[in-house]
Amino acid sequence: MDKLLIEGGVRLSGEIAISGAKNAALPILCAALLTKEPVTFTNVPRLNDIGTLLRLLEQMGVKVSRDSDGGTVTLDASGVDNPVASYEMVKTMRASILVLGPLVARFGEARVSLPGGCAIGARPVDQHIKGLQAMGACVKVEHGYVHAKVPRLKGARIFTDMVTVTGTENLMMAACLADGETVIENAAREPEVVDLANCLVAMGAQISGAGGDVIRIKGVPALHGATYRVMPDRIETGTYLCAAAVTGGEVRLTGTSASYLDAVVDKLMDTGCEITIERDALRLKAPARLTAVSLRTAPYPAFPTDMQAQFMAINAVADGTAVIRETIFENRFMHAVELQRLGADIKIDGNMAVVKGVDRLEGATVMATDLRASASLIIAGLVADGETTIERIYHLDRGYEKLEAKLAALGARVRRLS
Ligand code: EPZ
């Protein structure tokens, strides 16, 4: 298993480019299943999760072609003959559930393994199933698989019990080819949902309201090919902003935008950072020591749960005490015990973490448990005294493209040990 060695104490400075958004690219690649014409996607991030999904699509019969640097992907789903997503594939990446909606919509049948839980929570998919049933699908869950069948989906009014990002995305894709209009209420408003909607519209879908909590989809007989550019990754952007902030650094991030990060930018300004917003770049200049900032995660446009771990790391060495409340996932504080190994003063009480800033963290060996927890350990390692070794960094490779190269370009002393 690979490890990452970080020598703390370097102020990050310089400029890096932000990659395409993992959580937009994953549903968008699945959208190619909805048409028999080739679809080309650009700005696709080179990440393990993307590779896993492309292998899953190939197993179904999708023809995949990727340019040399991997950023442009063309998918041709005209020859799909196996609408099945096996446990072996789905257990490594739960976002594989996003093939369910498109497969049922285009082929009238799908067998997709239940994703199962992951480190941060049980993560059921009952809302995905409830929505497909509302659209007329006969859905059985047996032997760990979701088996859905229907001659043709019918438009329906769907009200999800809670805001679910991939649930909204799955149902929006399914509704594109349904007979009649589908209305999704209590829909997720995340920018990645909007990016998927824009891609589907480019393929001929009739969708309105994406970005709001009511999305209307008028079913059409077929979708056609298109070329679509994936949006920038707002969580990667926020992660590097936190890395610069905690080291008292000054960085410029290009190929990204602040428009999807208002809640995160506001909180970073509250810590004392100066942030300059350019058309498609962001600059951050940090003070010598940050001021602690409390936060509460919630669905977009509120503070994103995917940035909670990173803010716990910057609060660990900030001036004052911060209260962090995690309202989306039931077990998303596993980074806290690892940060405590580095000397952080954190008390957990249910879904609340009280973080008392300390003067300095001490480098140590820590273990990554999930994608964003790993990012928080990197942020802490960048500012800890001495050397920090992060184990199980395969979690990081799922969501951060060219991680060491980007950190090194900002001056960080970081090495990967295989
Ligand atoms: C998406 O996960 C993201 N993943 C997650 O990012 C992100 O943390 C999450 O949204 C919240 O923003 C992708 O987009 C691929 P949810 P998703 O359905 O869709 C419960 C990362 O680090 N729920 O919005 O799986 C669920 O348990 C990942 O990039 C049900 O109970 O999250 C959770 O408590 C981590 N039943 C809450 O809703 C359902 O049918 C929100 O989950 C669906 C969800």
Side-chain angles (χ1 to χ4, degrees), residues 119-150:
I120 62 179
R123 303 187 70 185
V125 290
D126 52 296
Q127 301 299 307
H128 302 233
I129 292 169
K130 174 183 152 186
L132 289 174
Q133 286 169 329
M135 296 167 80
C138 167
V139 185
K140 289 202 199 72
V141 179
E142 47 198 18
H143 309 301
Y145 277 76
V146 178
H147 190 178
K149 246 170 110 72
V150 64

PDB file of all heavy atoms in Angstrom, residues 119-150:
ATOM      1  N   ALA A 119     -17.135   3.880   4.794  1.00  0.00           N
ATOM      2  CA  ALA A 119     -16.614   4.328   6.087  1.00  0.00           C
ATOM      3  C   ALA A 119     -17.492   5.421   6.702  1.00  0.00           C
ATOM      4  O   ALA A 119     -17.675   5.475   7.906  1.00  0.00           O
ATOM      5  CB  ALA A 119     -15.193   4.861   5.903  1.00  0.00           C
ATOM      6  N   ILE A 120     -18.099   6.273   5.837  1.00  0.00           N
ATOM      7  CA  ILE A 120     -18.762   7.449   6.443  1.00  0.00           C
ATOM      8  C   ILE A 120     -20.221   7.192   6.777  1.00  0.00           C
ATOM      9  O   ILE A 120     -20.880   8.036   7.371  1.00  0.00           O
ATOM     10  CB  ILE A 120     -18.635   8.699   5.546  1.00  0.00           C
ATOM     11  CG1 ILE A 120     -19.322   8.500   4.192  1.00  0.00           C
ATOM     12  CG2 ILE A 120     -17.181   9.080   5.361  1.00  0.00           C
ATOM     13  CD1 ILE A 120     -19.224   9.744   3.293  1.00  0.00           C
ATOM     14  N   GLY A 121     -20.745   6.014   6.365  1.00  0.00           N
ATOM     15  CA  GLY A 121     -22.137   5.778   6.756  1.00  0.00           C
ATOM     16  C   GLY A 121     -22.786   4.653   5.983  1.00  0.00           C
ATOM     17  O   GLY A 121     -22.195   4.102   5.056  1.00  0.00           O
ATOM     18  N   ALA A 122     -24.035   4.345   6.352  1.00  0.00           N
ATOM     19  CA  ALA A 122     -24.756   3.208   5.747  1.00  0.00           C
ATOM     20  C   ALA A 122     -25.069   3.494   4.286  1.00  0.00           C
ATOM     21  O   ALA A 122     -25.001   2.632   3.422  1.00  0.00           O
ATOM     22  CB  ALA A 122     -26.061   2.990   6.506  1.00  0.00           C
ATOM     23  N   ARG A 123     -25.419   4.705   3.985  1.00  0.00           N
ATOM     24  CA  ARG A 123     -25.623   5.205   2.628  1.00  0.00           C
ATOM     25  C   ARG A 123     -26.598   4.342   1.814  1.00  0.00           C
ATOM     26  O   ARG A 123     -26.257   3.778   0.776  1.00  0.00           O
ATOM     27  CB  ARG A 123     -24.280   5.382   1.938  1.00  0.00           C
ATOM     28  CG  ARG A 123     -23.410   6.316   2.773  1.00  0.00           C
ATOM     29  CD  ARG A 123     -22.135   6.718   2.150  1.00  0.00           C
ATOM     30  NE  ARG A 123     -22.350   7.620   1.030  1.00  0.00           N
ATOM     31  CZ  ARG A 123     -21.333   8.011   0.271  1.00  0.00           C
ATOM     32  NH1 ARG A 123     -20.135   7.559   0.498  1.00  0.00           N
ATOM     33  NH2 ARG A 123     -21.553   8.828  -0.745  1.00  0.00           N
ATOM     34  N   PRO A 124     -27.815   4.210   2.312  1.00  0.00           N
ATOM     35  CA  PRO A 124     -28.813   3.430   1.580  1.00  0.00           C
ATOM     36  C   PRO A 124     -29.214   4.090   0.259  1.00  0.00           C
ATOM     37  O   PRO A 124     -28.890   5.261   0.027  1.00  0.00           O
ATOM     38  CB  PRO A 124     -29.990   3.411   2.550  1.00  0.00           C
ATOM     39  CG  PRO A 124     -29.802   4.587   3.422  1.00  0.00           C
ATOM     40  CD  PRO A 124     -28.335   4.820   3.529  1.00  0.00           C
ATOM     41  N   VAL A 125     -29.881   3.333  -0.593  1.00  0.00           N
ATOM     42  CA  VAL A 125     -30.335   3.881  -1.885  1.00  0.00           C
ATOM     43  C   VAL A 125     -31.856   3.732  -2.008  1.00  0.00           C
ATOM     44  O   VAL A 125     -32.394   3.645  -3.127  1.00  0.00           O
ATOM     45  CB  VAL A 125     -29.627   3.185  -3.066  1.00  0.00           C
ATOM     46  CG1 VAL A 125     -28.166   3.589  -3.112  1.00  0.00           C
ATOM     47  CG2 VAL A 125     -29.768   1.663  -2.987  1.00  0.00           C
ATOM     48  N   ASP A 126     -32.550   3.751  -0.861  1.00  0.00           N
ATOM     49  CA  ASP A 126     -34.007   3.556  -0.876  1.00  0.00           C
ATOM     50  C   ASP A 126     -34.741   4.628  -1.689  1.00  0.00           C
ATOM     51  O   ASP A 126     -35.753   4.363  -2.329  1.00  0.00           O
ATOM     52  CB  ASP A 126     -34.556   3.528   0.553  1.00  0.00           C
ATOM     53  CG  ASP A 126     -34.106   4.748   1.353  1.00  0.00           C
ATOM     54  OD1 ASP A 126     -32.886   4.893   1.575  1.00  0.00           O
ATOM     55  OD2 ASP A 126     -34.956   5.579   1.725  1.00  0.00           O
ATOM     56  N   GLN A 127     -34.191   5.844  -1.719  1.00  0.00           N
ATOM     57  CA  GLN A 127     -34.866   6.915  -2.472  1.00  0.00           C
ATOM     58  C   GLN A 127     -34.731   6.704  -3.983  1.00  0.00           C
ATOM     59  O   GLN A 127     -35.626   7.026  -4.747  1.00  0.00           O
ATOM     60  CB  GLN A 127     -34.290   8.288  -2.086  1.00  0.00           C
ATOM     61  CG  GLN A 127     -34.438   8.601  -0.608  1.00  0.00           C
ATOM     62  CD  GLN A 127     -35.896   8.645  -0.163  1.00  0.00           C
ATOM     63  OE1 GLN A 127     -36.701   9.353  -0.754  1.00  0.00           O
ATOM     64  NE2 GLN A 127     -36.224   7.861   0.848  1.00  0.00           N
ATOM     65  N   HIS A 128     -33.588   6.130  -4.396  1.00  0.00           N
ATOM     66  CA  HIS A 128     -33.397   5.834  -5.824  1.00  0.00           C
ATOM     67  C   HIS A 128     -34.482   4.828  -6.244  1.00  0.00           C
ATOM     68  O   HIS A 128     -35.119   4.959  -7.276  1.00  0.00           O
ATOM     69  CB  HIS A 128     -32.022   5.184  -6.073  1.00  0.00           C
ATOM     70  CG  HIS A 128     -30.849   5.995  -5.619  1.00  0.00           C
ATOM     71  ND1 HIS A 128     -29.797   6.311  -6.442  1.00  0.00           N
ATOM     72  CD2 HIS A 128     -30.521   6.527  -4.416  1.00  0.00           C
ATOM     73  CE1 HIS A 128     -28.892   7.012  -5.781  1.00  0.00           C
ATOM     74  NE2 HIS A 128     -29.307   7.152  -4.548  1.00  0.00           N
ATOM     75  N   ILE A 129     -34.678   3.817  -5.374  1.00  0.00           N
ATOM     76  CA  ILE A 129     -35.637   2.733  -5.673  1.00  0.00           C
ATOM     77  C   ILE A 129     -37.059   3.264  -5.644  1.00  0.00           C
ATOM     78  O   ILE A 129     -37.858   3.019  -6.557  1.00  0.00           O
ATOM     79  CB  ILE A 129     -35.442   1.580  -4.661  1.00  0.00           C
ATOM     80  CG1 ILE A 129     -34.082   0.907  -4.894  1.00  0.00           C
ATOM     81  CG2 ILE A 129     -36.581   0.564  -4.750  1.00  0.00           C
ATOM     82  CD1 ILE A 129     -33.660  -0.056  -3.811  1.00  0.00           C
ATOM     83  N   LYS A 130     -37.366   4.057  -4.615  1.00  0.00           N
ATOM     84  CA  LYS A 130     -38.719   4.626  -4.464  1.00  0.00           C
ATOM     85  C   LYS A 130     -39.096   5.444  -5.707  1.00  0.00           C
ATOM     86  O   LYS A 130     -40.205   5.346  -6.230  1.00  0.00           O
ATOM     87  CB  LYS A 130     -38.729   5.515  -3.215  1.00  0.00           C
ATOM     88  CG  LYS A 130     -39.994   6.296  -2.993  1.00  0.00           C
ATOM     89  CD  LYS A 130     -39.837   7.203  -1.761  1.00  0.00           C
ATOM     90  CE  LYS A 130     -40.714   8.438  -1.892  1.00  0.00           C
ATOM     91  NZ  LYS A 130     -40.496   9.418  -0.814  1.00  0.00           N
ATOM     92  N   GLY A 131     -38.137   6.203  -6.224  1.00  0.00           N
ATOM     93  CA  GLY A 131     -38.413   7.046  -7.394  1.00  0.00           C
ATOM     94  C   GLY A 131     -38.688   6.209  -8.635  1.00  0.00           C
ATOM     95  O   GLY A 131     -39.613   6.472  -9.405  1.00  0.00           O
ATOM     96  N   LEU A 132     -37.882   5.140  -8.816  1.00  0.00           N
ATOM     97  CA  LEU A 132     -38.091   4.283 -10.004  1.00  0.00           C
ATOM     98  C   LEU A 132     -39.433   3.557  -9.907  1.00  0.00           C
ATOM     99  O   LEU A 132     -40.150   3.389 -10.897  1.00  0.00           O
ATOM    100  CB  LEU A 132     -36.945   3.277 -10.131  1.00  0.00           C
ATOM    101  CG  LEU A 132     -35.586   3.876 -10.550  1.00  0.00           C
ATOM    102  CD1 LEU A 132     -34.491   2.812 -10.491  1.00  0.00           C
ATOM    103  CD2 LEU A 132     -35.660   4.493 -11.955  1.00  0.00           C
ATOM    104  N   GLN A 133     -39.795   3.157  -8.674  1.00  0.00           N
ATOM    105  CA  GLN A 133     -41.103   2.505  -8.489  1.00  0.00           C
ATOM    106  C   GLN A 133     -42.221   3.486  -8.822  1.00  0.00           C
ATOM    107  O   GLN A 133     -43.193   3.138  -9.486  1.00  0.00           O
ATOM    108  CB  GLN A 133     -41.240   1.983  -7.050  1.00  0.00           C
ATOM    109  CG  GLN A 133     -40.389   0.731  -6.791  1.00  0.00           C
ATOM    110  CD  GLN A 133     -40.311   0.360  -5.324  1.00  0.00           C
ATOM    111  OE1 GLN A 133     -40.358   1.232  -4.423  1.00  0.00           O
ATOM    112  NE2 GLN A 133     -40.175  -0.931  -5.051  1.00  0.00           N
ATOM    113  N   ALA A 134     -42.046   4.746  -8.416  1.00  0.00           N
ATOM    114  CA  ALA A 134     -43.068   5.770  -8.721  1.00  0.00           C
ATOM    115  C   ALA A 134     -43.220   5.915 -10.233  1.00  0.00           C
ATOM    116  O   ALA A 134     -44.292   6.245 -10.742  1.00  0.00           O
ATOM    117  CB  ALA A 134     -42.658   7.107  -8.105  1.00  0.00           C
ATOM    118  N   MET A 135     -42.154   5.623 -10.967  1.00  0.00           N
ATOM    119  CA  MET A 135     -42.192   5.758 -12.440  1.00  0.00           C
ATOM    120  C   MET A 135     -42.611   4.444 -13.105  1.00  0.00           C
ATOM    121  O   MET A 135     -42.481   4.272 -14.322  1.00  0.00           O
ATOM    122  CB  MET A 135     -40.808   6.216 -12.944  1.00  0.00           C
ATOM    123  CG  MET A 135     -40.438   7.605 -12.424  1.00  0.00           C
ATOM    124  SD  MET A 135     -38.700   7.970 -12.695  1.00  0.00           S
ATOM    125  CE  MET A 135     -38.758   8.420 -14.391  1.00  0.00           C
ATOM    126  N   GLY A 136     -43.082   3.499 -12.259  1.00  0.00           N
ATOM    127  CA  GLY A 136     -43.673   2.288 -12.823  1.00  0.00           C
ATOM    128  C   GLY A 136     -42.763   1.088 -12.886  1.00  0.00           C
ATOM    129  O   GLY A 136     -43.169   0.008 -13.322  1.00  0.00           O
ATOM    130  N   ALA A 137     -41.527   1.222 -12.428  1.00  0.00           N
ATOM    131  CA  ALA A 137     -40.616   0.061 -12.493  1.00  0.00           C
ATOM    132  C   ALA A 137     -40.973  -0.936 -11.398  1.00  0.00           C
ATOM    133  O   ALA A 137     -41.367  -0.543 -10.296  1.00  0.00           O
ATOM    134  CB  ALA A 137     -39.181   0.524 -12.317  1.00  0.00           C
ATOM    135  N   CYS A 138     -40.840  -2.233 -11.739  1.00  0.00           N
ATOM    136  CA  CYS A 138     -40.972  -3.260 -10.716  1.00  0.00           C
ATOM    137  C   CYS A 138     -39.568  -3.497 -10.172  1.00  0.00           C
ATOM    138  O   CYS A 138     -38.672  -3.896 -10.921  1.00  0.00           O
ATOM    139  CB  CYS A 138     -41.529  -4.533 -11.371  1.00  0.00           C
ATOM    140  SG  CYS A 138     -41.376  -5.936 -10.262  1.00  0.00           S
ATOM    141  N   VAL A 139     -39.356  -3.145  -8.898  1.00  0.00           N
ATOM    142  CA  VAL A 139     -38.001  -3.210  -8.334  1.00  0.00           C
ATOM    143  C   VAL A 139     -37.967  -4.210  -7.179  1.00  0.00           C
ATOM    144  O   VAL A 139     -38.773  -4.117  -6.258  1.00  0.00           O
ATOM    145  CB  VAL A 139     -37.529  -1.832  -7.821  1.00  0.00           C
ATOM    146  CG1 VAL A 139     -36.085  -1.918  -7.356  1.00  0.00           C
ATOM    147  CG2 VAL A 139     -37.691  -0.767  -8.904  1.00  0.00           C
ATOM    148  N   LYS A 140     -37.082  -5.213  -7.312  1.00  0.00           N
ATOM    149  CA  LYS A 140     -36.900  -6.163  -6.220  1.00  0.00           C
ATOM    150  C   LYS A 140     -35.465  -6.046  -5.726  1.00  0.00           C
ATOM    151  O   LYS A 140     -34.535  -5.836  -6.527  1.00  0.00           O
ATOM    152  CB  LYS A 140     -37.118  -7.603  -6.739  1.00  0.00           C
ATOM    153  CG  LYS A 140     -38.564  -7.957  -7.081  1.00  0.00           C
ATOM    154  CD  LYS A 140     -38.707  -9.511  -7.029  1.00  0.00           C
ATOM    155  CE  LYS A 140     -39.930  -9.935  -7.788  1.00  0.00           C
ATOM    156  NZ  LYS A 140     -39.676  -9.763  -9.259  1.00  0.00           N
ATOM    157  N   VAL A 141     -35.300  -6.168  -4.412  1.00  0.00           N
ATOM    158  CA  VAL A 141     -33.939  -6.200  -3.862  1.00  0.00           C
ATOM    159  C   VAL A 141     -33.729  -7.611  -3.336  1.00  0.00           C
ATOM    160  O   VAL A 141     -34.377  -8.020  -2.367  1.00  0.00           O
ATOM    161  CB  VAL A 141     -33.758  -5.176  -2.729  1.00  0.00           C
ATOM    162  CG1 VAL A 141     -32.335  -5.263  -2.177  1.00  0.00           C
ATOM    163  CG2 VAL A 141     -34.055  -3.769  -3.247  1.00  0.00           C
ATOM    164  N   GLU A 142     -32.882  -8.373  -4.052  1.00  0.00           N
ATOM    165  CA  GLU A 142     -32.667  -9.748  -3.593  1.00  0.00           C
ATOM    166  C   GLU A 142     -31.211 -10.156  -3.823  1.00  0.00           C
ATOM    167  O   GLU A 142     -30.572  -9.735  -4.786  1.00  0.00           O
ATOM    168  CB  GLU A 142     -33.615 -10.700  -4.341  1.00  0.00           C
ATOM    169  CG  GLU A 142     -33.635 -10.464  -5.836  1.00  0.00           C
ATOM    170  CD  GLU A 142     -34.868 -11.090  -6.499  1.00  0.00           C
ATOM    171  OE1 GLU A 142     -35.855 -11.399  -5.793  1.00  0.00           O
ATOM    172  OE2 GLU A 142     -34.834 -11.247  -7.727  1.00  0.00           O
ATOM    173  N   HIS A 143     -30.708 -10.958  -2.889  1.00  0.00           N
ATOM    174  CA  HIS A 143     -29.311 -11.424  -2.945  1.00  0.00           C
ATOM    175  C   HIS A 143     -28.341 -10.268  -3.136  1.00  0.00           C
ATOM    176  O   HIS A 143     -27.374 -10.385  -3.877  1.00  0.00           O
ATOM    177  CB  HIS A 143     -29.142 -12.436  -4.104  1.00  0.00           C
ATOM    178  CG  HIS A 143     -30.149 -13.541  -4.078  1.00  0.00           C
ATOM    179  ND1 HIS A 143     -30.271 -14.411  -2.999  1.00  0.00           N
ATOM    180  CD2 HIS A 143     -31.127 -13.890  -4.952  1.00  0.00           C
ATOM    181  CE1 HIS A 143     -31.257 -15.258  -3.241  1.00  0.00           C
ATOM    182  NE2 HIS A 143     -31.795 -14.968  -4.419  1.00  0.00           N
ATOM    183  N   GLY A 144     -28.662  -9.121  -2.528  1.00  0.00           N
ATOM    184  CA  GLY A 144     -27.718  -8.006  -2.563  1.00  0.00           C
ATOM    185  C   GLY A 144     -27.745  -7.218  -3.857  1.00  0.00           C
ATOM    186  O   GLY A 144     -26.885  -6.377  -4.094  1.00  0.00           O
ATOM    187  N   TYR A 145     -28.742  -7.514  -4.700  1.00  0.00           N
ATOM    188  CA  TYR A 145     -28.838  -6.770  -5.970  1.00  0.00           C
ATOM    189  C   TYR A 145     -30.177  -6.036  -6.065  1.00  0.00           C
ATOM    190  O   TYR A 145     -31.185  -6.534  -5.573  1.00  0.00           O
ATOM    191  CB  TYR A 145     -28.733  -7.725  -7.172  1.00  0.00           C
ATOM    192  CG  TYR A 145     -27.312  -8.062  -7.550  1.00  0.00           C
ATOM    193  CD1 TYR A 145     -26.567  -8.971  -6.798  1.00  0.00           C
ATOM    194  CD2 TYR A 145     -26.681  -7.449  -8.635  1.00  0.00           C
ATOM    195  CE1 TYR A 145     -25.253  -9.272  -7.121  1.00  0.00           C
ATOM    196  CE2 TYR A 145     -25.366  -7.748  -8.974  1.00  0.00           C
ATOM    197  CZ  TYR A 145     -24.657  -8.659  -8.213  1.00  0.00           C
ATOM    198  OH  TYR A 145     -23.360  -8.942  -8.537  1.00  0.00           O
ATOM    199  N   VAL A 146     -30.154  -4.887  -6.716  1.00  0.00           N
ATOM    200  CA  VAL A 146     -31.384  -4.187  -7.086  1.00  0.00           C
ATOM    201  C   VAL A 146     -31.730  -4.674  -8.491  1.00  0.00           C
ATOM    202  O   VAL A 146     -30.909  -4.574  -9.404  1.00  0.00           O
ATOM    203  CB  VAL A 146     -31.173  -2.647  -7.136  1.00  0.00           C
ATOM    204  CG1 VAL A 146     -32.458  -1.965  -7.574  1.00  0.00           C
ATOM    205  CG2 VAL A 146     -30.706  -2.130  -5.786  1.00  0.00           C
ATOM    206  N   HIS A 147     -32.918  -5.276  -8.638  1.00  0.00           N
ATOM    207  CA  HIS A 147     -33.327  -5.777  -9.962  1.00  0.00           C
ATOM    208  C   HIS A 147     -34.557  -4.989 -10.387  1.00  0.00           C
ATOM    209  O   HIS A 147     -35.599  -5.071  -9.744  1.00  0.00           O
ATOM    210  CB  HIS A 147     -33.645  -7.277  -9.841  1.00  0.00           C
ATOM    211  CG  HIS A 147     -33.838  -7.903 -11.186  1.00  0.00           C
ATOM    212  ND1 HIS A 147     -34.100  -9.233 -11.381  1.00  0.00           N
ATOM    213  CD2 HIS A 147     -33.790  -7.340 -12.447  1.00  0.00           C
ATOM    214  CE1 HIS A 147     -34.227  -9.472 -12.664  1.00  0.00           C
ATOM    215  NE2 HIS A 147     -34.042  -8.340 -13.331  1.00  0.00           N
ATOM    216  N   ALA A 148     -34.410  -4.160 -11.427  1.00  0.00           N
ATOM    217  CA  ALA A 148     -35.535  -3.302 -11.865  1.00  0.00           C
ATOM    218  C   ALA A 148     -35.949  -3.711 -13.270  1.00  0.00           C
ATOM    219  O   ALA A 148     -35.089  -4.015 -14.114  1.00  0.00           O
ATOM    220  CB  ALA A 148     -35.108  -1.845 -11.841  1.00  0.00           C
ATOM    221  N   LYS A 149     -37.262  -3.735 -13.487  1.00  0.00           N
ATOM    222  CA  LYS A 149     -37.799  -4.127 -14.802  1.00  0.00           C
ATOM    223  C   LYS A 149     -39.027  -3.279 -15.124  1.00  0.00           C
ATOM    224  O   LYS A 149     -39.835  -2.993 -14.226  1.00  0.00           O
ATOM    225  CB  LYS A 149     -38.270  -5.592 -14.759  1.00  0.00           C
ATOM    226  CG  LYS A 149     -37.456  -6.555 -15.663  1.00  0.00           C
ATOM    227  CD  LYS A 149     -37.831  -7.976 -15.380  1.00  0.00           C
ATOM    228  CE  LYS A 149     -38.609  -8.586 -16.551  1.00  0.00           C
ATOM    229  NZ  LYS A 149     -37.718  -8.826 -17.723  1.00  0.00           N
ATOM    230  N   VAL A 150     -39.160  -2.855 -16.364  1.00  0.00           N
ATOM    231  CA  VAL A 150     -40.364  -2.119 -16.783  1.00  0.00           C
ATOM    232  C   VAL A 150     -40.349  -2.009 -18.310  1.00  0.00           C
ATOM    233  O   VAL A 150     -39.273  -1.822 -18.894  1.00  0.00           O
ATOM    234  CB  VAL A 150     -40.361  -0.695 -16.150  1.00  0.00           C
ATOM    235  CG1 VAL A 150     -39.200   0.138 -16.664  1.00  0.00           C
ATOM    236  CG2 VAL A 150     -41.671   0.011 -16.382  1.00  0.00           C
TER     237      VAL A 150
END
